[in-house]
Amino acid sequence: MLLLTPGPTPVPEAVRLAMGEPTIHHRTPEFEEIFEETRELLKKIFGMDEVLMLASSGTGAMEASILNLCEKKALVVNAGKFGERFGKICDAYNIAYKELKYNWDTPCSVEDVKKALNDDKDIDTICIQVCESAGGLRHPVEEIAKVAKEINKDIKIIADGITAVGVEKINTTNIDALISGSQKAFMLPPGLSMIGLSRDALAKIEKSSTGYYFNLAIELKNQKKNTTAWTAPTTLIIGLKAVLKMIEKDGIEKLYADTALRAKSSREALKALGLKIFPKTPANSMSAVLDDDAAKIRKILKDKYGVNIAGGQEHVKTTLFRINHMGIFEGYETPWTLNAIELALDELGRRKYDGTANRVFCEQQYKAKQ
Ligand SMILES: *Cc1c(COP(=O)(O)O)cnc(C)c1O
């Protein structure tokens, strides 16, 4: 079965092999060397002063970032399940927050953020997704972060980049915490999260931090010495090093370019089939299509063509499908999937099959390579 869900993503063979080696102890020079190398490679990809690795899924890093950076009140952007989650974390810790709520296809407006910050001087943190995976929506995070810092230079910007880091180059100039997770663009099994931190965030954490397991001051002190506060997820970090080495071989810029082209080619092919791209500002991590037959299309893909794509959640559970573009792909995987969608549309009596999806996808690919 081809796994084309926007997380988890398939783990490349070389990475699985690296993780198949016998377990090593985490307090050894051998592991510290792996940890150090991984840290340095991560800092390059994040483009930030510091990157911490945590043994948790992505949500743990979201929780850690809020706990360690927000002092008074957060501004939470909610345009989907993951934005909503930031609010739920605040609720769990009785942290005050104001929510900016949008339809799942609509990006956060810079003006709304400006207004919220000018209206409420208690807001000291903004929590937002770079890509809101519920609808494959790209928020204008860099612009929001820039404007927010113009209003209040001490405000902290927490950007959930779980489906953006490793997908595209993110301008981190005004971002204080950039969150990622292992099972999306990093092509690893779930269980490891990462947080890139700015100099301002590091200063705040060193001055005051809270929590125990997710106390970032304790992690920072340890990880600077190439070890972790608690038992490290050694296998995943060994896998991460293998992934980062793999990416480094052809260069991260090539991965960004390939992903962007795969996303664009897919969108063009889907549109040529008469399908509707859901978000107003699509991210490159996935293609999300709104369609009444989404559930039926997914079922045909799974039963007949051996492809697993994701559905939607909540109110778009049966009317959305999402195709992953994150990671390193074999050339045939995406066109195979798009072709299967075209065949499914024929089976549903929607449109006669004529090879349009594959043709348009390939045209886009070849055009870019000329
Ligand atoms: C997957 C994802 C998460 C994290 O979910 P976990 O299940 O905790 O790994 C958070 N934010 C976004 C945008 C995601 O896509």
Side-chain angles (χ1 to χ4, degrees):
M1 181 80 77
L2 265 183
L3 182 62
L4 257 86
T5 56
T9 55
V11 181
E13 189 180 12
V15 178
R16 279 184 275 129
L17 288 172
M19 293 190 299
E21 293 291 313
T23 305
I24 55 172
H25 196 280
H26 55 291
R27 308 284 182 208
T28 53
E30 192 188 356
F31 183 68
E32 281 166 22
E33 196 182 311
I34 294 168
F35 195 86
E36 180 174 15
E37 204 177 338
T38 310
R39 251 168 80 72
E40 292 313 314
L41 290 166
L42 271 182
K43 281 189 210 169
K44 269 197 253 169
I45 288 198
F46 276 70
M48 297 185 83
D49 291 292
E50 182 62 68
V51 180
L52 298 178
M53 289 173 258
L54 304 174
S56 75
S57 83
T59 307
M62 294 168 75
E63 184 163 327
S65 300
I66 293 183
L67 269 179
N68 288 271
L69 293 181
C70 181
E71 284 190 315
K72 271 192 174 162
K73 189 169 181 178
L75 181 67
V76 169
V77 174
N78 173 358
K81 287 301 277 181
F82 295 103
E84 180 187 57
R85 189 171 298 178
F86 272 132
K88 287 187 172 171
I89 293 168
C90 290
D91 280 334
Y93 287 100
N94 278 323
I95 293 168
Y97 69 99
K98 177 182 164 58
E99 191 175 66
L100 289 178
K101 208 166 175 181
Y102 298 92
N103 288 333
W104 288 17
D105 63 350
T106 306
C108 175
S109 126
V110 180
E111 287 309 311
D112 291 349
V113 172
K114 250 192 212 170
K115 185 171 180 312
L117 296 184
N118 285 323
D119 286 354
D120 189 343
K121 294 296 174 194
D122 277 351
I123 293 171
D124 60 8
T125 314
I126 298 180
C127 302
I128 185 168
Q129 272 60 42
V130 180
C131 164
E132 169 54 78
S133 313
L137 173 75
R138 179 65 157 89
H139 282 301
V141 173
E142 294 93 333
E143 205 189 336
I144 285 168
K146 182 168 177 283
V147 165
K149 297 258 173 175
E150 282 164 11
I151 296 170
N152 171 6
K153 70 170 178 39
D154 293 324
I155 200 161
K156 300 290 181 287
I157 313 293
I158 299 175
D160 168 1
I162 297 181
T163 47
V165 179
V167 170
E168 57 169 309
K169 188 160 188 68
I170 301 164
N171 181 348
T172 54
T173 311
N174 296 299
I175 293 175
D176 295 291
L178 181 62
I179 297 164
S180 190
S182 54
Q183 81 275 27
K184 311 270 171 90
F186 284 107
M187 299 169 271
L188 287 167
L192 179 73
S193 68
M194 293 145 259
I195 313 177
L197 296 163
S198 70
R199 217 162 296 168
D200 283 357
L202 292 170
K204 159 74 183 72
I205 288 162
E206 280 174 338
K207 185 165 69 77
S208 68
S209 59
T210 48
Y212 186 73
Y213 186 76
F214 285 136
N215 187 313
L216 295 184
I218 303 175
E219 279 303 339
L220 184 60
K221 193 168 138 252
N222 281 281
Q223 297 200 14
K224 275 182 171 167
K225 291 185 281 187
N226 298 314
T227 188
T228 48
W230 327 118
T231 304
T234 45
T235 307
L236 285 170
I237 292 171
I238 288 165
L240 179 58
K241 185 185 139 190
V243 165
L244 297 173
K245 286 267 180 200
M246 228 173 103
I247 293 175
E248 205 186 31
K249 217 168 96 229
D250 289 328
I252 186 76
E253 297 300 332
K254 180 173 186 310
L255 179 60
Y256 293 154
D258 287 351
T259 309
L261 180 59
R262 188 159 49 244
K264 178 169 184 282
S265 307
S266 301
R267 284 194 296 267
E268 292 304 321
L270 292 162
K271 282 191 275 182
L273 294 178
L275 294 170
K276 182 182 163 24
I277 302 293
F278 177 63
K280 288 176 186 155
T281 50
N284 284 339
S285 55
M286 67 192 79
S287 289
V289 169
L290 187 72
D291 194 283
D292 284 341
D293 290 329
K296 284 184 198 153
I297 293 169
R298 281 184 63 218
K299 185 165 175 4
I300 294 171
L301 258 57
K302 214 179 241 174
D303 294 348
K304 271 199 158 163
Y305 303 109
V307 189
N308 186 3
I309 59 173
Q313 294 160 296
E314 279 190 5
H315 62 288
V316 288
K317 190 170 171 44
T318 58
T319 53
L320 199 76
F321 67 76
R322 294 173 296 159
I323 307 167
N324 174 51
H325 303 309
M326 292 177 282
I328 296 170
F329 278 64
E330 294 292 343
Y332 72 93
E333 291 174 307
T334 306
W336 172 282
T337 303
L338 295 165
N339 190 61
I341 289 170
E342 184 175 349
L343 287 165
L345 290 177
D346 189 336
E347 188 171 328
L348 293 168
R350 295 259 304 262
R351 183 187 183 287
K352 208 85 220 107
Y353 177 86
D354 62 3
T356 292
N358 242 324
R359 176 178 55 77
V360 173
F361 181 89
C362 292
E363 272 171 9
Q364 291 287 330
Q365 295 279 315
Y366 296 141
K367 233 194 296 178
K369 303 245 148 57
Q370 269 163 18

